[in-house]
């Protein structure tokens, strides 16, 4: 039963209040939670998307390609920018219902926020009778709550150093953690051929990305073209660009696509990211930076971020409130680039 403290709150408010981090990573609680829900993840096949950058866009692209072929698809991504419902690719009312469905057993087991959200997605997809679920991994893969699915197709987008305190200190160790989700895969799609020794021997390996993953699931080519846009992923708003790039590699990708290099930057970065490498790369987008702090508890304080940015930029200011920081960046003139964390973009949405 829901706790006395949670009575009277909406399911969305409840899940927002949960801790996003477990005391210890593992799948036992997730298995028990889904068992209480009737193991909804066994009701449909799955495509699992893992990697460092581009997972959400790849997940939604696969979903749209398959929908264009008449396939009923559920898509699960994280984190969100426009609202919690973005994670289940649904409207707010559907999200509220999906989370309410898993609330009591989640409270009973002390599930984390991500475990409850993952269970809500898997159960909602079963209720909706989807033909396939496209699931984005959260952190890593092996011990991520999404690894409860036995995916037929796995897509590895790319691998860079991230969450080294959990996933390992080398690219190879991180790739091994991510590719552990391929335990039941018949096809693994990857754009990087460095990790062939980490793939299950029974899986067919395909070079490519989202389109190839969708085609691998269908077993035939897809001629349809789709355009997928997600909030906070190279999102253009007039004279302003918003992007959640949080690794140096993601910034490099963005720099190749920026229409100009004289932006005023509004930036928040989580403390566990490669902060100095990020700042060095970001300086190629503009010489003025307004440091701020997103609502994520792991975000660097604005003053600390500004101090670390001083050696990379000609002009640096620190403004803790994201809305005030963005207003200041706009007032400084020129195009604005809001970047460094999807959590910052969520704070500023719309």
């Amino acid at each position: 039963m829901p706790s006395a403290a949670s009575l009277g709150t909406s399911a969305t408010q409840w899940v927002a209040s949960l801790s996003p981090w477990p005391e210890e990573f593992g799948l036992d609680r997730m298995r028990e939670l889904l068992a209480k829900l009737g193991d909804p993840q066994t009701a449909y096949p799955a495509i699992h998307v893992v990697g460092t950058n581009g997972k959400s866009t790849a997940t939604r692209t696969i979903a749209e390609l398959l929908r264009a072929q008449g396939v009923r698809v559920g898509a699960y991504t994280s984190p969100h920018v426009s609202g919690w419902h973005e994670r289940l690719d649904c409207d707010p009312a559907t999200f509220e219902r999906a989370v309410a469905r898993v609330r009591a057993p989640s409270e009973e087991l002390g599930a984390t926020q991500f475990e409850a959200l993952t269970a809500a997605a898997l159960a909602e997809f079963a209720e909706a009778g989807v033909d396939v679920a496209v699931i984005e991994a959260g952190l890593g893969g092996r011990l991520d709550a999404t690894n409860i699915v036995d995916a037929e197709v796995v897509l590895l987008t790319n691998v860079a150093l991230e969450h080294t305190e959990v996933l390992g200190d080398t690219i190879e160790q991180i790739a091994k953690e991510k590719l552990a989700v391929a335990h039941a895969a018949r096809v693994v799609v990857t754009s990087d051929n460095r990790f062939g020794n980490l793939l299950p021997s029974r899986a067919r390996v395909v070079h490519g990305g989202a389109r190839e993953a969708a085609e691998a699931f269908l077993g035939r080519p897809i001629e349809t073209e789709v355009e997928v846009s997600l909030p906070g992923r190279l999102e253009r708003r007039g004279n302003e660009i918003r992007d959640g790039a949080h690794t140096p590699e993601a910034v490099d990708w963005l720099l190749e696509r920026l229409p100009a290099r004289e932006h005023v930057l509004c930036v928040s970065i989580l403390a566990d990211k490669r902060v100095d490498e990020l700042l060095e790369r970001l300086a190629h987008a503009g010489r003025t930076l307004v440091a701020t702090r997103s609502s994520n508890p792991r975000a660097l304080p604005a003053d600390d971020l500004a101090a670390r940015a001083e050696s990379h930029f000609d002009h640096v200011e620190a403004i803790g409130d994201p809305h005030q920081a963005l207003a200041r960046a706009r007032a400084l003139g020129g195009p604005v680039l809001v970047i460094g964390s999807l959590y910052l973009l969520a704070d500023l949405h719309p």
Side-chain angles (χ1 to χ4, degrees):
M1 295 295 292
S3 65
S6 68
L7 291 175
T9 62
S10 71
T12 302
Q13 290 171 323
W14 165 76
V15 81
S17 73
L18 296 179
S19 170
W21 290 88
E23 294 183 4
E24 183 176 349
F25 285 93
L27 295 175
D28 290 344
R29 182 169 53 225
M30 193 66 195
R31 290 192 182 98
E32 189 173 356
L33 174 55
L34 289 174
K36 288 180 176 292
L37 295 167
D39 286 318
Q41 77 281 5
T42 65
Y44 42 78
I47 300 171
H48 212 153
V49 180
V50 296
T52 301
N53 298 308
K55 296 192 299 294
S56 293
T57 300
T59 299
R60 288 290 189 87
T61 300
I62 293 168
E64 289 306 313
L65 285 167
L66 293 176
R67 285 169 181 153
Q69 302 299 303
V71 180
R72 292 174 297 173
V73 184
Y76 176 52
T77 59
S78 63
H80 64 271
V81 172
S82 62
W84 287 96
H85 63 284
E86 182 186 309
R87 297 187 181 223
L88 271 64
D89 194 15
C90 66
D91 58 75
T94 300
F95 178 83
E96 175 74 14
R97 183 181 68 245
V99 173
R101 185 183 292 118
V102 306
R103 181 173 181 173
S106 295
E107 287 195 320
E108 179 183 342
L109 295 171
T112 65
Q113 184 181 83
F114 191 69
E115 288 168 342
L117 287 166
T118 302
L122 297 176
E124 176 60 26
F125 298 157
E127 183 71 16
V130 302
D131 298 316
V132 61
V134 191
I135 307 295
E136 175 187 347
L139 192 155
R142 181 174 64 91
L143 297 178
D144 187 72
T146 63
N147 198 23
I148 205 72
V149 302
D150 295 328
E152 291 187 10
V153 177
V154 169
L155 168 63
L156 175 68
T157 59
N158 47 61
V159 182
L161 291 175
E162 61 162 351
H163 300 294
T164 53
E165 73 285 358
V166 177
L167 302 181
D169 297 325
T170 68
I171 293 292
E172 290 71 21
Q173 289 174 330
I174 294 172
K176 184 176 181 180
E177 287 290 310
K178 293 179 182 298
L179 286 169
V181 306
H183 58 268
R186 58 178 175 83
V187 181
V188 176
V189 182
T190 175
S191 61
D192 196 326
N193 61 9
R194 289 178 294 169
F195 310 117
N197 62 312
L198 301 177
L199 301 175
S201 58
R202 65 183 176 277
R204 179 167 64 94
V205 180
V206 174
H207 184 82
R211 176 174 295 275
E212 288 72 22
E215 291 176 339
F217 177 76
L218 285 181
R220 58 178 171 81
I222 298 174
E223 304 299 334
T224 308
E225 295 295 332
V226 297
E227 291 186 9
V228 174
S229 61
L230 279 170
R233 284 80 167 181
L234 195 57
E235 179 184 358
R236 302 177 187 272
R237 295 184 173 211
N239 204 33
E240 185 172 304
I241 292 176
R242 299 186 181 190
D243 192 88
H246 57 277
T247 67
E249 293 80 6
V251 174
D252 288 341
W253 180 92
L254 178 67
L255 288 172
E256 295 177 359
R257 291 158 177 81
L258 287 181
R261 295 292 175 90
E262 70 278 358
H263 295 82
V264 177
L265 282 72
C266 179
V267 181
S268 176
I269 300 175
L270 302 186
D272 58 359
K273 302 303 178 185
R274 294 147 63 192
V275 178
D276 295 309
E277 290 182 66
L278 277 167
L279 291 169
E280 186 275 328
R281 301 292 216 288
L282 288 172
H284 294 290
R287 304 302 302 168
T288 300
L289 180 142
V290 180
T292 189
R293 182 178 191 175
S294 75
S295 58
N296 189 293
R298 293 181 289 135
L300 277 172
D303 288 339
D304 292 353
L305 179 58
R308 295 175 71 165
E310 288 283 356
S311 61
H312 299 285
F313 293 84
D314 297 334
H315 179 80
V316 176
E317 298 182 21
I319 301 176
D321 179 82
H323 291 277
Q324 294 178 14
L326 178 56
R328 176 56 178 160
R330 289 168 172 167
L332 288 169
V336 173
L337 176 61
V338 188
I339 195 166
S341 173
L342 285 170
Y343 297 102
L344 171 62
L345 305 186
D347 290 339
L348 292 172
H349 190 82

